[in-house]
Amino acid sequence: MEKNTKQARAAKAKAEEAILNRVLCWFAGGAVLELLLLILNRYYNNYRAGEIEFRLVLGTAVRIVAVAALACAAAAAYWWNGAKKMGKATTLPALLSFFMLGVSGSCFAAWFFPKAGLELAIVAVPVAVVLAMIFYLYQHEFFLISLQSTLGVLGVWICGKGNGGMYAVVGYAYVALAAVLVGVAALVCKKAQANDGVVERKGGEPMRLFAKGCNYTFLYAGAVVTVAALICAALSIAPAILYSVQVAWLLAMAVYYTVKLM
């Protein structure tokens, strides 16, 4: 009995150490990427008169890195998948894949929307790190709610930038895509609710998505709040009101799920 208890404690400690390592990797990768983005923004959007030539070279470099980093992300993802199948460590290829994807996405954003794109990337990196921490440290249902709120806040921001032209088109396209994603997530939640939090992967393998006793009402309510915010943003409702609603909802859920962890 005592031996089993020690083994269980050792397994738990090992799992907690693995989670901590992943969180630290996300934090370190996010810090490096954020620093690179701040430097890029300085010379890409806030360059001085004597730095015009460097800015032109940087504009070309951003386009090259956008494509090259995307290819590197795909290669790292292939490495990640192979390591997972062979039962090897996947932390390094996973981190590299997400990091290069972040670099590629940031460069594409700077390429097509020099000012707004970089502003978004600078904010998106710490948000992605926080979401990763929530995924590893909190319940999966709170991660989903946080993801919903993030989609809603991003939609409000994008629509707030649109004063006609391409920004408006991007705003409407984002609202439609985000609403579809939230709807698909709600359908998955419904399927999980019918099977006590378990869904089937490809091949019929079961996977626990949410814990037993999960409060699905909050998941559906989060979807409604997000879709309503997206629609209101597309209709040019005051962004301050929509931000307030999303943040208040997320804070309330953070308190609820933090208490559940205790």
Side-chain angles (χ1 to χ4, degrees), residues 193-217:
Q193 185 178 12
N195 294 288
D196 200 18
V198 177
V199 295
E200 289 186 359
R201 295 179 180 177
K202 289 183 178 179
E205 183 182 352
M207 178 183 69
R208 174 156 295 282
L209 197 59
F210 302 115
K212 294 181 179 179
C214 169
N215 193 331
Y216 291 92
T217 301

Side-chain angles (χ1 to χ4, degrees), residues 159 175 179 225-237 242:
C159 291
V175 167
V225 170
T226 298
V227 172
L230 289 169
I231 294 173
C232 290
L235 296 175
S236 301
I237 303 298
L242 303 180

Side-chain angles (χ1 to χ4, degrees), residues 48-252:
R48 300 186 178 96
E51 300 167 343
I52 294 178
E53 291 185 3
F54 180 68
R55 166 63 178 81
L56 294 174
V57 173
L58 194 59
T60 302
V62 162
R63 299 177 186 183
I64 295 173
V65 172
V67 178
L70 185 60
C72 290
Y78 180 79
W79 176 21
W80 180 12
N81 185 56
K84 187 176 181 181
K85 286 182 178 179
M86 291 186 288
K88 296 182 179 180
T90 59
T91 301
L92 180 59
L95 177 63
L96 184 60
S97 178
F98 283 117
F99 181 80
M100 296 310 297
L101 190 62
V103 171
S104 178
S106 299
C107 288
F108 272 114
W111 180 358
F112 291 103
F113 304 99
K115 186 169 179 58
L118 266 179
E119 286 179 359
L120 176 60
I122 289 171
V123 175
V125 169
V127 169
V129 172
V130 171
L131 285 173
M133 291 181 177
I134 290 173
F135 178 79
Y136 288 118
L137 302 177
Y138 276 82
Q139 305 91 335
H140 286 173
E141 44 264 45
F142 180 51
F143 171 73
L144 178 57
I145 290 172
S146 301
L147 201 56
Q148 290 171 341
S149 295
T150 301
L151 288 174
V153 170
L154 179 56
V156 174
W157 183 84
I158 292 175
C159 291
K161 290 285 183 180
N163 293 317
M166 182 175 290
Y167 283 108
V169 173
V170 171
Y172 292 136
Y174 175 85
V175 167
L177 177 61
V180 170
L181 290 175
V182 172
V184 170
L187 291 176
V188 173
C189 289
K190 187 176 181 180
K191 184 177 291 188
Q193 185 178 12
N195 294 288
D196 200 18
V198 177
V199 295
E200 289 186 359
R201 295 179 180 177
K202 289 183 178 179
E205 183 182 352
M207 178 183 69
R208 174 156 295 282
L209 197 59
F210 302 115
K212 294 181 179 179
C214 169
N215 193 331
Y216 291 92
T217 301
F218 287 148
L219 300 182
Y220 300 136
V224 172
V225 170
T226 298
V227 172
L230 289 169
I231 294 173
C232 290
L235 296 175
S236 301
I237 303 298
I241 298 175
L242 303 180
Y243 284 135
S244 300
V245 171
Q246 288 284 348
V247 171
W249 167 253
L250 187 57
L251 287 176

